[in-house]
Amino acid sequence: MQLTSFTDYGLRALMYLAMLPPGELTSITVVTEKYGVSRNHMVKIIHRMSQAGFVQAVRGKNGGIRLGKPAETIVIGEVIRALEPLQVVNCAPQNCHITSACRLKSAIAQAMEAFLAEMDKHTLHDMVSGNDDLAHLLIPVRPL
């Protein structure tokens, strides 16, 4: 299984936001530049994550984006469910003539549930807490 780039960059954006001091705002442009992804793509990702409550978008002159809730409460499996289409194969009868007798779709569904169950064991906080290497890569040391 491979996550879409939409979900991949969504998770990366959340990790970046989680590394910021609590409540600090940043911009979509900063996140876009950090990961070298299209700004249009990141706008769509942030919008979807904002709708799901993972990100808070603050409008206005001093606006920006930040985590929508504490990193400890953001479960990675929930983020994946909110961003990923999760339909690994198309078993619609018009696309596959063996659908009525196929056991593969059930095996794939079980594998997907196992994957999501594992991801439900991890929070955003687990991904960033105490991860100094990640902090050095994402958040440059600010001069005093």
Side-chain angles (χ1 to χ4, degrees), residues 46-113:
I46 296 299
H47 178 71
R48 174 94 57 84
M49 290 195 303
S50 178
Q51 289 176 322
F54 302 123
V55 171
Q56 180 185 24
V58 178
R59 294 183 180 264
K61 181 179 168 189
N62 296 317
I65 58 172
R66 63 180 163 219
L67 286 182
K69 52 188 174 179
E72 297 85 358
T73 66
I74 298 177
V75 176
I76 301 299
E78 291 175 7
V79 175
I80 293 170
R81 284 181 188 88
L83 301 180
E84 192 69 22
L86 294 180
Q87 183 180 355
V88 179
V89 293
N90 185 349
C91 296
Q94 62 269 27
N95 292 321
C96 182
H97 69 280
I98 66 169
T99 294
S100 62
C102 184
R103 294 180 181 161
L104 181 60
K105 62 186 173 190
S106 174
I108 290 173
Q110 289 172 5
M112 179 64 69
E113 282 306 311

Side-chain angles (χ1 to χ4, degrees), residues 84-143:
E84 192 69 22
L86 294 180
Q87 183 180 355
V88 179
V89 293
N90 185 349
C91 296
Q94 62 269 27
N95 292 321
C96 182
H97 69 280
I98 66 169
T99 294
S100 62
C102 184
R103 294 180 181 161
L104 181 60
K105 62 186 173 190
S106 174
I108 290 173
Q110 289 172 5
M112 179 64 69
E113 282 306 311
F115 168 73
L116 291 170
E118 180 60 33
M119 299 315 292
D120 285 340
K121 296 176 187 175
H122 305 281
T123 66
L124 182 57
H125 181 263
D126 297 335
M127 301 298 113
V128 301
S129 178
N131 191 339
D132 293 336
D133 292 337
L134 182 64
H136 292 301
L137 291 169
L138 292 179
I139 313 295
V141 177
R142 298 175 185 173

